[in-house]
């Protein structure tokens, strides 16, 4: 057996000894080799194939891949050396062949042949420190302006040239292009929704189809006929004319929870304001991303538009690559939709960025609410796309006087409202004690799947799971954002308590995003609206559908600003008007004869 070059520093005798301890292993593509936090019981020497090293992050929409390792690399040496839990997760990206040495065998060797064991340990340490050195280099790249990358330079350069050729397109030609894109988007809404669910195992294909359709038709309808670029309006009295000017190249992050709809949306709004856009898909949706990108390219070519107006990062993403795009001087604006860490990275890039924050809408059921309508609206909204819509209801804040009637209405709509015993075993099964958040596997799964996994049974089809909760203000999975068709239910007495609890929940998570009230009293609604630090306050509307403008008059958007409440620069439902510079041409105003000087 020939050992990897890795062991070249060992004596021939030690190599022979080590060879006897190595065990051949194979992993199919997609297999998790080991998981972050596991006990490290072996190190691996990769002979063939590629392994993805990733960190477990509590949020889905943050790029989690550290790097890819191939033949000749060592894996799992860190835990073998420090005997602490695995520092990262390793997944076979392709079929992998490797050899492995177990911790137990190494310890045994140390007793039998200390010199041989020291030899291997030194080699493992050398490999670990090589990684440290590489990380030091990468960290300094990130800290002191990202290192130039020819792929990034090339893509940004192409987008810049395309935008320059597009900047002067007249409005009707742009609208015709958007119309053509919209029809193609509608045509492919279903097939891409199905492909997304197949690729990500998150969400519901029927709902995703609807979402894709709204992101195409709804967004198009909100853009067509508007002035995207050039003179917008003149204030005759002030003699000031506003002129819209593209930001140039927009870099748009596309999350795993809404990939197709977000790509449609970012493309339409970027083009309306005469920008080029580079889409960066989360690594878990590259397949669908490539299909959307190809579709758009084909339409651009057919319509005689520069085909580089909409580009996408075809290469597998990593945090470093994303960072390099975001801080590239040729990128005018970053449109950051995704997890908090991605948004933070966008804000830290030095390029102006529009970000979003997490949702965690409190939904107040006031004593005068239409309980049947509220229950119907909540179940429809929270079950939509298996609960991945950030603007959906997350916490029910229910007045004690109507609690029992409301729970009966919820059950009538297909909600499993858990008993205290059910709640206890449910939470034990779905919450990861390490992060105190819902387990990643729960994200975007149907309530029926989650219920059967947790042993919850009802004589009807379960559409959402409602967990009665009390909250002492500690870190809690139930009080936070739940990207799954699960809601918490808090009981309160009176309006003051309802507002106080909603404020506390938002302070915990979701400040700036969305809050919801069900009441028939305009004064009560107004009081709630004035009190909530959220950019959207929905009254008697489903959250998921309301924030996008399907059941409200809000602007259709898949990037929902959270204002300074949520650390963002805007409270807007982001659209084309957020992607341009508004210049002001101010003419000399003659001093008024009555007010000289
Ligand atoms: N930043 C990194 N670059 C390359 N490999 C890494 C990095 N972080 C962790 N790893 C590898 O991933 C493994 C996770 O399990 P271990 O901590 O045992 O050993 C780790 C290394 O082999």
């Amino acid at each position: 057996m020939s050992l990897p070059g890795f062991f070249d520093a060992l004596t021939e005798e030690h190599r022979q000894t080590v060879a006897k301890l190595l065990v051949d292993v194979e992993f199919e593509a997609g297999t998790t080799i080991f998981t972050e936090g596991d006990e490290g019981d072996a190190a691996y020497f990769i002979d063939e194939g590629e392994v993805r090293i990733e960190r477990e992050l509590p949020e889905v929409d943050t790029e989690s891949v550290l790097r890819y390792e191939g033949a000749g690399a060592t894996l799992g040496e860190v835990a073998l050396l420090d005997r602490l839990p695995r520092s990262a997760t390793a997944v076979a990206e392709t079929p992998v062949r490797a050899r492995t040495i177990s911790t137990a065998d190494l310890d045994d060797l140390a007793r039998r042949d200390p010199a041989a064991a020291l030899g291997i340990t030194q080699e493992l340490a050398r490999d670990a420190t090589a990684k440290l050195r590489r990380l030091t280099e990468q960290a300094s790249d990130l800290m002191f302006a990202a290192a130039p990358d020819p792929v990034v330079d090339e893509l940004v350069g192409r987008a810049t040239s395309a935008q320059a050729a597009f900047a002067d397109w007249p409005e009707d030609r742009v609208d015709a292009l958007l119309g053509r894109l919209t029809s193609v988007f509608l045509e492919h809404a279903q097939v891409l929704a199905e492909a997304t669910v197949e690729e990500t195992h998150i969400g519901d294909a029927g709902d995703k189809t609807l979402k894709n359709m709204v992101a195409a038709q709804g967004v198009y309808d909100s853009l067509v006929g508007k002035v995207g670029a050039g003179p917008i309006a003149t204030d005759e009295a002030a003699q000031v004319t506003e002129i819209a000017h593209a930001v140039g190249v927009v870099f748009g992050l596309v999350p795993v929870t809404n990939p197709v709809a977000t790509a449609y949306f970012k493309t339409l709004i970027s083009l309306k304001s005469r920008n080029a856009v580079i889409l960066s898909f989360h690594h878990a949706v590259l397949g669908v991303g490539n299909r959307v990108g190809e579709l758009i390219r084909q339409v651009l070519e057919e319509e005689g538009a520069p085909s580089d107006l909409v580009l996408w990062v075809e290469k597998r993403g990593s945090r470093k690559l994303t960072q390099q795009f975001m801080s590239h001087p040729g990128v005018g604006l970053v449109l950051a939709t995704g997890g908090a860490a991605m948004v933070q990275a966008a804000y830290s890039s030095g390029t102006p960025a529009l970000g979003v924050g997490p949702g965690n809408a409190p939904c107040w059921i006031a004593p005068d609410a239409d309980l049947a309508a509220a229950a119907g609206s909540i179940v429809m909204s929270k079950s939509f796309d298996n609960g991945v819509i950030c603007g959906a209801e997350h916490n029910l804040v229910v007045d004690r006087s109507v609690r029992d009637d409301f729970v009966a209405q919820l059950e009538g709509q297909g909600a499993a409202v858990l008993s205290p015993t059910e709640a206890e075993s449910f939470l034990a099964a779905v919450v990861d004690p390490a992060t105190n958040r819902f387990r990643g596997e729960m994200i975007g799964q149907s309530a029926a799947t989650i219920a059967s996994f947790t042993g919850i049974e009802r004589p009807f089809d379960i559409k959402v799971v409602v967990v009665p909760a009390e909250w002492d203000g500690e870190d809690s999975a139930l009080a936070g954002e739940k990207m799954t068709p699960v809601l918490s239910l808090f009981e309160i007495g009176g309006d003051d308590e309802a507002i106080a609890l909603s404020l506390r929940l938002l302070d915990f998570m979701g400040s700036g995003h969305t809050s919801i009230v069900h009441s028939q009293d305009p004064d009560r609604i107004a009081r709630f609206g004035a009190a909530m630090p959220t950019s959207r306050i929905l009254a008697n509307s489903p959250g998921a559908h309301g924030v996008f403008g399907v059941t409200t008059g809000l602007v259709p958007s898949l990037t929902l600003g959270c204002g300074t409440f949520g650390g963002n620069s805007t409270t807007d439902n982001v659209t084309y008007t957020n992607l341009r510079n508004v210049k002001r041409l101010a003419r000399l105003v003659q001093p008024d004869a009555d007010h000289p000087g």
Side-chain angles (χ1 to χ4, degrees), residues 34 40 42 53 66-67 69 74-80 85-90 131 134-135:
F34 52 73
I53 314 283
L66 288 172
R67 53 182 296 111
E69 295 282 6
T74 310
L75 198 62
E77 73 293 345
V78 174
L80 202 84
R86 294 289 189 199
S87 60
T89 296
K131 284 175 184 163
R134 193 176 53 210
L135 278 179

Side-chain angles (χ1 to χ4, degrees), residues 464-502:
V464 298
V465 175
V466 177
V467 191
E470 284 179 15
W471 186 45
D472 55 9
E474 296 283 298
D475 184 32
S476 153
L478 266 190
E481 189 186 37
K482 297 165 271 292
M483 300 285 274
T484 183
V486 175
L487 290 135
S488 57
L489 186 153
F490 300 93
E491 192 180 306
I492 45 86
D495 295 17
D496 291 350
E497 264 191 45
I499 288 178
L501 176 61
S502 300

Side-chain angles (χ1 to χ4, degrees), residues 34-40 78-80 82-88:
F34 52 73
T35 305
E36 183 184 337
D38 282 357
E39 192 188 334
V78 174
L80 202 84
D82 64 14
R83 306 296 162 109
L84 292 172
R86 294 289 189 199
S87 60

Side-chain angles (χ1 to χ4, degrees), residues 5-42:
F6 182 84
F7 287 111
D8 286 352
L10 297 187
T11 63
E12 183 52 33
E13 187 194 343
H14 287 162
R15 259 186 272 167
Q16 297 291 340
T17 313
V18 171
K20 290 191 196 120
L21 301 180
L22 294 175
V23 177
D24 290 331
V25 281
E26 290 190 12
F27 301 96
E28 280 178 31
T31 317
T32 300
I33 301 173
F34 52 73
T35 305
E36 183 184 337
D38 282 357
E39 192 188 334
D41 52 3

